[in-house]
Amino acid sequence: MQETIYSVSEAVGILELQSHVLRYWEEEMKLPIKRNELGHRYYTRWDIQVFLSIKELKKKGYSLKEIGKLADLFYEKQEKESKISAEFMEIISKLVKAQLKEKKTGEDRYKKLDERIRNYQQSRREVAAAFEKKNSKKKGIFQRR
């Protein structure tokens, strides 16, 4: 089974964090994030789970220094459990897909809203232009007499 990998932009979308936060956490906690042939970071499902755990611990008030002591345990556990249960990976996969789909539908919603606003503004400009044209014709009639 081929391991699913995520680019930085995909991971940022899933985790709802900024890319500089991922890099900072990686550097501060010395996380073993892999890189491709070009030197670009890529994340595995396990890395995503680790970042989600870090995010939750941060919400609970733990410092990066405290969390960093646990980070080694996350990856040590992965090495010991070289085969992660299929059920666990299926759950993670569904969560990741749902979050990506939700993010995409949210973007589509804003695009549609933006389009409606633009159409509304255009129709107002057209009405204003027609009204102005009508008024200018009336003024021309009155000025001739």
Side-chain angles (χ1 to χ4, degrees), residues 77-84:
K77 184 177 180 180
Q78 181 194 19
E79 290 169 8
K80 287 181 182 176
E81 297 176 7
S82 60
K83 185 174 181 181
I84 301 170

Side-chain angles (χ1 to χ4, degrees), residues 17 68 77 95:
L17 295 169
K77 184 177 180 180
L95 289 172

Side-chain angles (χ1 to χ4, degrees), residues 82-137:
S82 60
K83 185 174 181 181
I84 301 170
S85 74
E87 183 181 345
F88 174 76
M89 292 311 290
E90 187 65 30
I91 291 168
I92 294 294
S93 181
K94 285 180 182 178
L95 289 172
V96 167
K97 286 177 185 175
Q99 198 150 10
L100 285 173
K101 185 177 180 181
E102 181 181 314
K103 187 147 185 88
K104 187 177 185 320
T105 57
E107 289 174 5
D108 290 343
R109 185 174 141 239
Y110 287 114
K111 285 180 183 177
K112 288 178 184 176
L113 179 62
D114 186 50
E115 183 180 341
R116 287 181 185 156
I117 291 170
R118 288 177 194 275
N119 289 339
Y120 177 73
Q121 290 171 338
Q122 181 63 30
S123 65
R124 287 191 61 167
R125 282 193 290 270
E126 290 171 359
V127 168
F131 185 73
E132 189 176 306
K133 187 176 181 181
K134 183 179 176 183
N135 282 342
S136 68
K137 284 182 182 180

